[in-house]
């Protein structure tokens, strides 16, 4: 599906037969509603500008074949509860150069074991809730010293570097 050169809101559940969504530089998604693509097992790529401060709850929940979401643009982006839960093949979540993430909801990326993206923490700090990255073994955090609120078990099975200083309780079972 090729998006027209306009700003658009994605609401409700979209057609579950769509595999790839593309757009040019003038194609901009400005809002992603809760459950917009939830359960869509055919969606593989979303490759257009997403200009928003919120990826709502369960937006991509259970999109098991989703591999790429590009290019997310915003400041202090909030990623809702279970927004990407169960996206087992999600490898790339690309943020634009100056984008930052301010909050990551409960189980937002649970089971995203293929995710290898670099996460830009907000300069004002990033809140990470319980089990947000449960099972994410390949993530990289830019400015991870800005993590200002980490709930218990936020990074279950997250592979962290040896210079990480957070309480081991938060990194339960990290590799």
């Amino acid at each position: 599906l090729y998006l027209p050169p306009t700003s658009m809101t994605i609401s409700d559940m979209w057609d579950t037969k769509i595999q790839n969504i593309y757009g040019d530089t003038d194609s901009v998604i400005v809002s992603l509603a809760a459950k917009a693509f939830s359960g869509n097992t055919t969606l593989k790529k979303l490759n257009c500008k997403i200009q928003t401060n919120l990826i709502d709850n369960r937006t991509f929940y259970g999109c098991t074949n989703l591999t790429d979401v590009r290019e997310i643009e915003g400041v202090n982006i909030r990623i809702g509860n279970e927004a990407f839960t169960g996206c087992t093949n999600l490898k790339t979540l690309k943020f634009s150069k100056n984008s930052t993430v301010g909050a990551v909801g409960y189980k937002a990326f649970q089971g995203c074991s293929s995710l290898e993206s670099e996460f830009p923490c907000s300069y004002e700090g990033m809140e990470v809730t319980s089990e947000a990255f449960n099972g994410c073994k390949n993530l990289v955090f830019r400015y991870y010293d800005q993590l200002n609120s980490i709930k218990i078990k936020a990074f279950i099975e997250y592979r962290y570097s040896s210079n990480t200083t957070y309480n081991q309780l938060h990194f339960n079972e990290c590799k």
Side-chain angles (χ1 to χ4, degrees), residues 41-69:
T41 57
T42 58
L43 182 64
K44 291 182 180 179
K45 294 182 181 185
L46 182 58
N47 195 353
C48 65
K49 189 182 289 185
I50 302 169
Q51 198 170 44
T52 186
N53 290 327
L54 173 65
I55 297 174
D56 214 335
N57 299 338
R58 292 184 160 217
T59 298
F60 295 97
Y61 181 91
C63 293
T64 54
N65 286 309
L66 183 64
T67 60
D68 269 331
V69 177

Side-chain angles (χ1 to χ4, degrees), residues 141-159:
F141 281 85
R142 200 172 357 133
Y143 315 118
Y144 69 86
D145 56 326
Q146 299 295 329
L147 294 172
N148 65 353
S149 175
I150 303 174
K151 303 296 184 197
I152 293 174
K153 297 183 179 181
F155 293 90
I156 296 172
E157 295 183 25
Y158 168 76
R159 186 181 68 209

Side-chain angles (χ1 to χ4, degrees), residues 10 12 15 27 50 63 65 85 115 131 134 161 171-172:
I10 307 255
D12 302 321
D15 184 348
S27 303
I50 302 169
C63 293
N65 286 309
T85 293
L115 189 58
E131 301 183 47
N134 182 355
S161 65
F171 295 94
N172 185 25

Side-chain angles (χ1 to χ4, degrees), residues 93-164:
L93 190 65
K94 185 173 184 325
F95 295 90
S96 65
K97 183 179 177 184
N98 296 316
S99 292
T100 57
V101 176
V104 180
Y106 175 70
K107 295 184 177 181
F109 293 94
Q110 181 177 5
C112 295
S113 55
S114 300
L115 189 58
E116 295 179 354
S117 296
E118 185 175 281
F119 243 79
C121 300
S122 171
Y123 297 108
E124 287 123 31
M126 184 167 105
E127 178 184 342
V128 180
T129 59
S130 296
E131 301 183 47
F133 296 101
N134 182 355
C136 299
K137 300 174 184 179
N138 299 304
L139 284 180
V140 175
F141 281 85
R142 200 172 357 133
Y143 315 118
Y144 69 86
D145 56 326
Q146 299 295 329
L147 294 172
N148 65 353
S149 175
I150 303 174
K151 303 296 184 197
I152 293 174
K153 297 183 179 181
F155 293 90
I156 296 172
E157 295 183 25
Y158 168 76
R159 186 181 68 209
Y160 61 98
S161 65
S162 60
N163 63 353
T164 303

